Amino acid sequence: MRLCAWYLYGEKHRGYALNPVANFHLQNGSVLWRINWMGDTSPRGLGASCGMMVNYRYFLEETASNSALYLSSKQVRASEQVLALVSQFQQNSKL
């Protein structure tokens, strides 16, 4: 879960999210909201993402500002749950 959070939040390509689905949602103003352990137990979900599923949340009154923030300064908006997992990853990682 920590590694997944870091991958979605911290891994970048030219400053933008490395994951194409994350990049799509973040460009459109979403918040990286929740990571669900075993949220997709289909054979494809297990093979593609070890069964993890991610929720992106759109707050309509914030989508324009979130999108502008991401596109201009490449800052990812994320929930406390995701940020806590990122913090745990950073504390325990040797990367």
Side-chain angles (χ1 to χ4, degrees):
M1 295 271 294
R2 294 184 299 251
L3 182 59
C4 180
W6 175 253
Y7 169 67
L8 295 169
Y9 181 84
E11 289 298 319
K12 309 285 186 178
H13 175 69
R14 296 184 180 161
Y16 296 107
L18 183 60
N19 181 274
V21 174
N23 191 49
F24 169 82
H25 286 288
L26 295 168
Q27 284 184 20
N28 287 303
S30 74
V31 175
L32 180 54
W33 191 250
R34 185 172 53 214
I35 299 172
N36 304 291
W37 177 255
M38 299 307 281
D40 184 356
T41 57
S42 70
R44 183 170 187 237
L46 290 170
S49 62
C50 299
M52 287 191 233
M53 184 177 280
V54 180
N55 296 115
Y56 296 91
R57 187 163 181 189
Y58 288 86
F59 294 97
L60 295 181
E61 64 280 353
E62 297 175 10
T63 55
S65 60
N66 288 348
S67 177
L69 183 69
Y70 181 69
L71 293 171
S72 65
S73 60
K74 300 165 179 78
Q75 292 183 19
V76 174
R77 293 275 326 270
S79 70
E80 290 298 320
Q81 184 236 22
V82 173
L83 293 175
L85 289 167
V86 167
S87 177
Q88 291 170 17
F89 172 81
Q90 291 174 319
Q91 291 172 0
N92 297 314
S93 174
K94 293 182 175 37
L95 296 179

